[in-house]
Amino acid sequence: AITAIDDQTVEELTLLTVTPETTLTACATGPLSWAIDPAVPSGANFNTSTGVFTWTPACGQAGLYGAYTLTATAATGETASEAFSITVTHKVGSVAITAIPDQPVEELTLLTVTPETTLSACAPGPLSWAISPAVPSGATFNTSTGVFAWTPACGQAGLYGAYTLT
């Protein structure tokens, strides 16, 4: 007999290990051989000697998997089965923007600010960008790249900002 296996929940990029426990009847002898149905998902492993199922779901593999049926077969032919399902939850990613120092610029001189970012696991690109407050007259801001460009005209000297990129 195989001890009941609870349905499993795991977050993307986190290792899941399912180790079945068995009890042999008086007439059954080992070793046991194991099978799983249906086939394990991409990136998962199943050991037919031990019945151990391991999987670290990748980003993008969130969802419901299974039900999987584990079947143990004793050397003497007796079998037992147990089913379980797996729910993979999404790992929330993050975006970090490298600090941008204050940017001095003279009138009639092009200023270009290109932000640098780091995406954590499970934070897919591409990014979309926003800036606040509104950019000064004559400046441009690219919402696809986050690039701010401006050539201040004569008479636009002064302090502008503080701008926040998101």
Side-chain angles (χ1 to χ4, degrees):
I2 301 174
T3 304
I5 300 172
D6 293 332
D7 287 342
Q8 305 291 306
T9 300
V10 63
E11 185 179 49
E12 292 169 328
L13 302 182
T14 303
L15 175 64
L16 169 67
T17 301
V18 177
T19 305
E21 296 178 15
T22 59
T23 311
L24 295 177
T25 61
C27 293
T29 59
L32 297 175
S33 60
W34 291 87
I36 191 167
D37 186 53
V40 298
S42 174
N45 293 298
F46 179 72
N47 186 312
T48 57
S49 297
T50 63
V52 174
F53 171 96
T54 57
W55 185 28
T56 302
C59 295
Q61 285 189 303
L64 180 62
Y65 295 82
Y68 293 101
T69 301
L70 286 179
T71 301
T73 303
T76 50
E78 295 83 1
T79 63
S81 296
E82 179 64 29
F84 66 97
S85 294
I86 303 168
T87 300
V88 178
T89 59
H90 174 66
K91 180 175 186 70
V92 177
S94 64
V95 178
I97 302 171
T98 303
I100 300 171
D102 291 343
Q103 302 289 310
V105 62
E106 291 183 16
E107 294 171 330
L108 304 180
T109 303
L110 175 63
L111 168 67
T112 302
V113 178
T114 304
E116 294 180 19
T117 60
T118 304
L119 299 176
S120 70
C122 297
L127 298 174
S128 59
W129 291 87
I131 191 169
S132 64
V135 297
S137 175
T140 61
F141 179 74
N142 186 314
T143 58
S144 296
T145 63
V147 173
F148 170 92
W150 184 34
T151 302
C154 293
Q156 283 189 305
L159 180 62
Y160 292 83
Y163 291 99
T164 302
L165 289 177
T166 55

